[in-house]
């Protein structure tokens, strides 16, 4: 059976925890310069139609360090960009490579691709979810503050793909998520309803942050929303994470952001560049967490 990773719900809670524990082992091993070459001869294809720094570099580096190879294909330079059907592309690519990471807009595209793929498909970001980021984020939380189960996390800002993946994470890792978004920019209400045991929509950023163990945000204008920037900057005024908001949180609260960040918009420089920020650790953990994910999907499960 082929397992895909299109959202955090594709793995059980126990499997996700195993992946995160393994990510920690990979991190320690690399620090000691010990190499695991468990993916020798394996090839990863990355099929991206949106920009990326962290996702691309971390997956390609992960494959190199594990002894495998990777091929990066910008959608516009593939036949998919000229109208070859997604299902045909999936049938062809999956007869050649061992695992495929896709970054695209529509979640339905990645679902169609996975349906016709003989090999695991990993969601490298869609408009709906960004599950790989959450593996690194939960690993980071664990390193900084221990087990996230039972903790209180504040999401402040846009109800976007990252917010949706934090909602899934709240359910899978059993923590409480308080979400504050401006009117009209909330997360998918059906998803919130399904996760209502773990997720609460609140009225203001300070209500979300009060006593929280982590404050999390993301850009106000995701990839594809560049044309809405001005409108969004107006709508999101009051949702910037600043020192005052951080001081409403728990004394030891950490600040998290998947990056790229826009200082002076969703977060002030003094917070993202300050002592409570763990954003570089989150970015680094993409490498370790994705090694663990690749190993899980290709060898272990
Ligand atoms: N956080 C993240 O996925 O970054 P990139 O867009 O640079 O891959
Ligand atoms: N919400 C952002 C995340 C970038 C990693 C976007 O989709 O552009």
């Amino acid at each position: 059976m082929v397992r895909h990773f299109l959202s955090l719900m594709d793995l059980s809670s126990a499997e996700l925890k195993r992946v995160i524990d393994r990510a920690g082992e990979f991190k320690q091993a690399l620090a000691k310069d010990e190499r695991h070459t468990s993916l020798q001869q394996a090839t990863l294809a990355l099929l991206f139609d949106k920009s990326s720094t962290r996702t691309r570099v971390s997956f390609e580096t992960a494959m190199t360090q594990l002894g495998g190879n990777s091929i990066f294909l910008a959608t516009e330079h593939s036949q998919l960009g000229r109208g070859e059907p997604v299902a045909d592309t999936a049938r062809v690519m999956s007869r050649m490579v061992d695992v495929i990471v896709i970054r695209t807009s529509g979640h339905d595209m990645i679902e169609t691709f996975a349906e016709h793929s003989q090999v695991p498909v990993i969601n490298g970001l869609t408009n709906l979810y960004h599950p790989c980021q959450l593996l690194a984020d939960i690993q980071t939380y664990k390193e900084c503050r221990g087990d996230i189960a039972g903790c209180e996390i504040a999401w402040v800002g846009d109800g976007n793909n990252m917010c949706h993946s934090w909602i899934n994470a709240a359910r899978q890792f059993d923590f409480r998520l308080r979400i504050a978004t401006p009117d009209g920019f909330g997360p998918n209400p059906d998803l919130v309803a399904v996760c209502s045991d773990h997720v609460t929509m609140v009225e203001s950023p300070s209500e979300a942050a009060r006593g929280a163990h982590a404050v999390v945000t993301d850009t106000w204008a995701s990839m594809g929303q560049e044309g809405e920037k001005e409108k969004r900057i107006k709508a999101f005024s009051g949702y910037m994470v600043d020192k005052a908001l951080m001081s409403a949180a728990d004394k030891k609260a950490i600040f998290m952001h998947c990056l790229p960040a826009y200082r002076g918009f969703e977060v002030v420089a003094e917070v993202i560049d300050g002592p409570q920020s763990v954003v570089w650790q989150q970015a680094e953990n993409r490498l370790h967490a994705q090694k663990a994910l690749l190993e899980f999907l290709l060898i272990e499960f």
Side-chain angles (χ1 to χ4, degrees):
M1 189 184 74
V2 181
R3 297 282 298 272
H4 302 296
F5 187 62
L6 307 189
S7 92
L8 286 177
M9 306 316 287
D10 286 334
L11 268 59
S12 69
S13 166
E15 286 172 335
L16 288 171
K17 284 178 195 146
R18 240 172 67 208
V19 168
I20 285 162
D21 288 347
R22 183 72 180 132
E25 289 170 14
F26 272 122
K27 189 170 186 173
Q28 281 175 10
L30 192 64
K32 288 190 256 164
D33 213 19
E34 284 169 16
R35 300 280 164 154
H36 293 253
T37 50
S38 50
L39 297 188
Q40 262 174 19
Q41 306 297 326
T43 300
L44 164 74
L46 299 111
L47 181 60
F48 280 32
D49 67 19
K50 285 179 165 183
S51 306
S52 172
T53 299
R54 282 143 286 269
T55 306
R56 178 177 177 181
V57 174
S58 54
F59 268 114
E60 292 199 20
T61 306
M63 285 306 286
T64 304
Q65 292 184 355
L66 292 174
N69 294 296
S70 49
I71 299 170
F72 182 83
L73 197 54
T75 307
E76 69 201 278
H77 296 140
S78 74
Q79 297 294 1
L80 198 55
R82 296 181 60 251
E84 184 167 16
V86 170
D88 292 0
T89 307
R91 290 182 183 108
V92 171
M93 285 179 70
S94 72
R95 279 170 167 76
M96 297 174 183
V97 304
D98 302 283
V99 52
I100 300 166
V101 180
I102 298 178
R103 172 168 283 203
T104 192
S105 301
H107 198 73
D108 52 342
M109 179 278 189
I110 209 170
E111 284 177 340
T112 305
F113 198 106
E115 201 183 307
H116 295 91
S117 172
Q118 297 180 1
V119 301
V121 174
I122 296 172
N123 180 355
L125 181 146
T126 61
N127 289 352
L128 189 60
Y129 293 125
H130 192 9
C132 291
Q133 181 68 48
L134 260 290
L135 296 179
D137 292 354
I138 302 298
Q139 180 187 357
T140 304
Y141 189 92
K142 186 179 163 197
E143 291 169 346
C144 297
R145 304 225 35 180
D147 191 356
I148 198 166
C151 293
E152 294 181 24
I153 310 295
W155 176 272
V156 176
D158 194 15
N160 63 11
N161 46 7
M162 278 301 305
C163 179
H164 290 157
S165 280
W166 272 95
I167 292 173
N168 280 343
R171 199 164 156 205
Q172 291 284 47
F173 294 95
D174 196 21
F175 59 86
R176 291 217 57 88
L177 182 66
R178 288 192 295 271
I179 300 174
T181 65
D183 280 348
F185 296 92
N188 180 320
D190 296 335
L191 185 63
V192 174
V194 170
C195 301
S196 59
D197 286 353
H198 293 93
V199 176
T200 317
M201 297 299 302
V202 296
E203 289 298 314
S204 66
S206 56
E207 202 181 330
R210 199 169 305 136
H213 300 106
V215 177
V216 192
T217 191
D218 185 15
T219 181
W220 292 340
S222 285
M223 289 181 275
Q225 296 173 332
E226 290 76 8
E228 295 175 26
K229 240 181 197 161
E230 292 313 313
K231 175 183 108 185
R232 285 175 166 266
I233 289 170
K234 280 201 192 93
F236 283 83
S237 83
Y239 284 76
M240 185 189 285
V241 179
D242 57 14
K243 288 281 275 187
L245 192 68
M246 287 307 293
S247 65
D250 182 73
K251 268 206 310 286
K252 289 199 229 143
I254 54 174
F255 170 75
M256 305 184 83
H257 190 311
C258 64
L259 306 177
Y262 300 91
R263 290 169 177 76
F265 293 94
E266 74 270 14
V267 60
V268 295
E270 129 184 267
V271 168
I272 193 168
D273 299 320
Q276 288 169 291
S277 172
V278 297
V279 298
W280 314 121
Q281 197 171 329
Q282 286 175 262
E284 179 192 329
N285 284 340
R286 296 292 303 275
L287 173 65
H288 312 300
Q290 286 159 195
K291 277 185 184 170
L293 176 68
L294 288 165
E295 202 182 68
F296 175 83
L297 293 174
L298 289 176
I299 308 175
E300 254 186 47
F301 83 83

